[in-house]
Amino acid sequence: MIRIMDLVRQLSVAGCLLAALLNAPGALAERQPIKAIGIPLADHYAGIVAYEKYRDRMQHADYQLLILPGPHLVRTYFRSEPDADIAFNVSPMVMDMFAEKADFRWVSLIHRDGNALVINNLMNRKAGLPADRKMRLPDARIANAFDAFRQETGQPVEIAIPHPLATHTSILYKYLRDQNKSFGFRQDGKTDVVLRKVKPSKSPVYLKMMAARSRPAAFEQSLPWAEVVVSGGFGHIGWYSKDVMRHEHGHVECIIIAKDAVIRDKRGALREVVHYIHQAGRDIEAARREGGPAMDEIVAMVRRHIPAHTREDIIQSLRPDLNVINYLNLNVDDNAKASFREIMELALEAGFIKQRIDIDALADESFASDITIAEE
């Protein structure tokens, strides 16, 4: 009987210890889910690397990641699904969402720069782009090619975009405006170019299709889809967004938004996820400089989530000599807000958004980290 009572007491003690461990701060049982949603772009690589490399180290957050096909689905899912805590989304779409309902905040950037204008081979016969990519600047070459084809065919050249509310489209608008070119969304012959909405992942196929019809065409999309065209030999990168919208540290593109309820009820978990996304950004920057095994590790992480991104296209997108996308200086601060404001003014002028928003009301600077700040 004594032995049985001793065993009961031992089991009771063990049970109490297990309960204490499970209820301890940071214990796995108490980690709060933070579900992030994004789309298959180089823009969101830091979110993927944070998931692959750091989710098991997180003490407060059960970090989850869902990759959706396109930006319009990010908006829909974020609005409709209670489990969507944060989203990686393009800036003008966030502006439009905030004007519609101000129930979320901007807590971080996910990257800077990162998109490009690509033209098909037929277009390049008129544009004559330099062989050195560093020399492909947003000058008059491509704009003059638009004019040449319009004079020959009587029709404007089509340019594929991911969405009118994408940052890419506002940057393209700036280029067209600077070159005194008009745009429209209908093929009526009255504008210099026509914008056509195409999913980022479908844009290389679109360019191939237009080439098969002997029609000039272009697209303005995020990396690495520009690299897919180059590696496939059926197009050329005309310019990078960083040269159209020059900004210290790079222009704002996709940002991280979090629901107000998440900021209120899951602050510690959210802070941890943002911290590790910033750390993942540093890891990507280090890997692109080092190359070799460090870069191979990043490639493997990305391809587990986005197998359509080939190893070569990922590496080319992250080339340190071009530095056309970067994952540093991701804090919401005055620098980021200035770039965001410039994008807002372009989007408003172009008619992509209908009103300005209060950027200070949208911005939540309390999730800033020191780890994301670039070394001078």
Side-chain angles (χ1 to χ4, degrees), residues 47 131 141 264 347:
R141 293 173 188 266
R264 182 187 67 239

Side-chain angles (χ1 to χ4, degrees), residues 118-120 158 160 196-222 224-235 308 313:
V118 176
I119 61 175
N120 64 10
E158 280 191 7
R196 178 177 176 182
K197 190 164 70 171
V198 176
K199 284 183 183 178
S201 60
K202 301 295 184 183
S203 54
V205 175
Y206 161 79
L207 217 61
K208 274 187 173 181
M209 178 189 71
M210 295 295 280
R213 298 175 181 175
S214 298
R215 293 174 60 183
F219 71 66
E220 165 70 359
Q221 302 278 7
S222 291
W225 302 113
E227 294 297 342
V228 171
V229 171
V230 174
S231 63
F234 54 93
D313 292 333

Side-chain angles (χ1 to χ4, degrees), residues 89-99 104 255 257 340 362:
N89 209 357
V90 283
S91 300
M93 187 173 288
V94 169
M95 297 169 197
D96 195 59
M97 291 170 64
F98 195 73
F104 63 88
I255 64 176
I257 57 174
F340 190 89
L362 171 67

Side-chain angles (χ1 to χ4, degrees), residues 48 177 193 226 255:
I48 291 172
R177 185 195 67 182
V193 300
I255 64 176

